Amino acid sequence: AKSDGRRTYRFFEAGMDARAKARRGLELELRQAIADGGFELHYQPLLHLEGGTVSCCEALLRWRHPERGMISPADFIPIAEDTGLINDLGHWVLNTACREAVNWPDHVHVAVNVSPIQFKSQTLALNVAAALAASGLAAARLELEITEAVLIRDDEAALDILHQLRELGVRIALDDFGTGYSSLSYLQRFPFDKIKIDRAFIKDLGATGASSTIVQAVVNIAAASDMTTTAEGVETEQQRTMLRLLGCTEMQGYLFSRPVSGAEIRRLLSSDCEK
Ligand code: C2E
Ligand code: CA
Ligand code: CA
Ligand code: CA
């Protein structure tokens, strides 16, 4: 039994070594891609549930790998965060999204995801101000999506950064609400402009009573504090109908559109405006 244990351990070690190597390889490729322009942004529209017009488009990062094709952010963002590369990447995302959004109709906002690491770097407000100035985008058209992770530790510092951003005139959305350590108390501590309700709650809408009760509670709290709500991952007409009944403000999901390229979003927005 003892030797079996040791053999298992050695296999485990070899597995770790391979994984560490793969990770190191990916890190080098990430660095290269930042330098070579290997990244692109795709955009997914958010729609008003009443009226159905597009209010905002969320920028979603894509890595076009020379051999492996499109790589999902879920596979490389964690590595970019561990290595600190997320700061350069986040800076690129912010600037690219602002430059794209100046081409859109004035009423359409652009939403940019901000990693907790980027958030803690202390230069976020400075970078945001620089991206707005360089692109000429009105601050009120930029929405920064942050997750609750930034609020968990170091509350005072986080609130300070949020207030700096608010002073610039940008909007702040709480992303993935309802996952992780999510707590309604965060909503009282900082006045977000928007709450994005995680897909986990939208998926079951209609099927069970529990999700609709939760969505209703979030919508009510948001309305009482002048925040809007966005339902993430809306895929069916039934979900859309439920969300309208519940009084949710916006929807985002495959039902209306997947994330699309910059050229496609411009086409989509120009036809949306003709309606
Ligand atoms: P997220 O911010 O929650 O973005 C929404 C994700 O849900 C996107 O996945 C989007 O493609 C997907 N989605 C939208 N509608 C539907 C739907 O109806 N059904 C389903 N099943 N999925 C839907 P994506 O693009 O793979 O991004 C995954 C995550 O990667 C994002 O989650 C975000 O956390 C992160 N991410 C993406 N771009 C950036 C970025 O520029 N910076 C940072 N820091 N993180 C990013
Ligand atoms: Ca997001
Ligand atoms: Ca989300
Ligand atoms: Ca998410």
Side-chain angles (χ1 to χ4, degrees):
K2 210 174 181 182
S3 63
D4 277 4
R6 199 178 314 139
R7 196 176 304 148
T8 311
Y9 174 73
R10 250 197 256 123
F11 274 124
F12 179 67
E13 211 177 28
M16 286 294 281
D17 197 42
R19 269 202 297 280
K21 271 195 189 124
R23 225 176 140 75
R24 176 79 187 132
L26 209 55
E27 183 192 335
L28 292 173
E29 288 183 314
L30 263 177
R31 245 180 240 286
Q32 193 65 44
I34 292 174
D36 296 351
F39 289 97
E40 36 187 277
L41 289 182
H42 282 194
Y43 299 88
Q44 187 181 34
L46 280 66
L47 278 79
H48 286 294
L49 271 154
E50 290 299 330
T53 52
V54 176
S55 51
C56 180
C57 299
E58 178 176 0
L60 293 160
L61 192 55
R62 298 290 180 263
W63 180 8
R64 202 182 279 284
H65 191 279
E67 288 112 44
R68 278 179 281 170
M70 280 295 197
I71 303 182
S72 150
D75 295 327
F76 66 82
I77 297 261
I79 295 167
E81 286 178 332
D82 284 355
T83 54
L85 287 172
I86 193 71
N87 288 309
D88 286 350
L89 202 50
H91 200 235
W92 178 85
V93 169
L94 192 58
N95 280 280
T96 306
C98 289
R99 270 188 272 115
E100 174 62 39
V102 286
N103 302 311
W104 302 343
D106 283 344
H107 67 276
V108 180
H109 296 182
V110 62
V112 171
N113 290 288
V114 174
S115 155
I117 308 287
Q118 223 183 323
F119 190 86
K120 279 183 225 137
S121 76
Q122 305 292 322
T123 56
L124 183 60
L126 223 63
N127 290 343
V128 169
L132 290 170
S135 61
L137 185 77
R141 290 180 63 197
L142 178 60
E143 298 184 1
L144 300 176
E145 297 194 358
I146 64 157
T147 56
E148 293 144 336
V150 308
L151 298 174
I152 287 166
R153 253 177 277 142
D154 221 347
D155 253 5
E156 282 306 309
L159 287 181
D160 190 52
I161 295 170
L162 287 171
H163 285 294
Q164 285 174 31
L165 293 169
R166 177 58 67 65
E167 255 163 55
L168 289 175
V170 302
R171 301 166 63 84
I172 299 166
L174 185 56
D175 203 358
D176 299 347
F177 187 74
T179 60
Y181 300 93
S182 164
S183 145
L184 291 175
S185 69
Y186 291 135
L187 302 180
Q188 286 162 338
R189 251 179 292 162
F190 184 81
F192 294 93
D193 296 289
K194 178 184 282 190
I195 303 172
K196 300 191 77 174
I197 307 169
D198 195 76
R199 187 169 83 231
F201 299 99
I202 310 308
K203 225 171 46 196
D204 299 338
L205 268 190
T208 68
S211 284
S212 64
T213 307
I214 292 165
V215 172
Q216 184 72 79
V218 177
V219 166
N220 289 345
I221 290 165
S225 324
D226 267 332
M227 298 184 259
T228 63
T229 43
T230 304
E232 300 194 278
V234 178
E235 295 183 351
T236 69
E237 278 300 342
Q238 191 196 13
Q239 290 164 350
R240 190 216 295 252
T241 305
M242 274 300 279
L243 288 162
R244 284 184 66 172
L245 289 172
L246 293 169
C248 189
T249 322
E250 295 171 329
M251 60 163 255
Q252 173 179 12
Y254 297 167
L255 177 64
F256 180 71
S257 173
R258 288 184 174 255
V260 298
S261 70
E264 275 176 84
I265 201 75
R266 262 171 264 153
R267 268 197 298 280
L268 187 148
L269 289 172
S270 62
S271 68
D272 187 68
C273 281
E274 283 160 18
K275 270 193 279 189

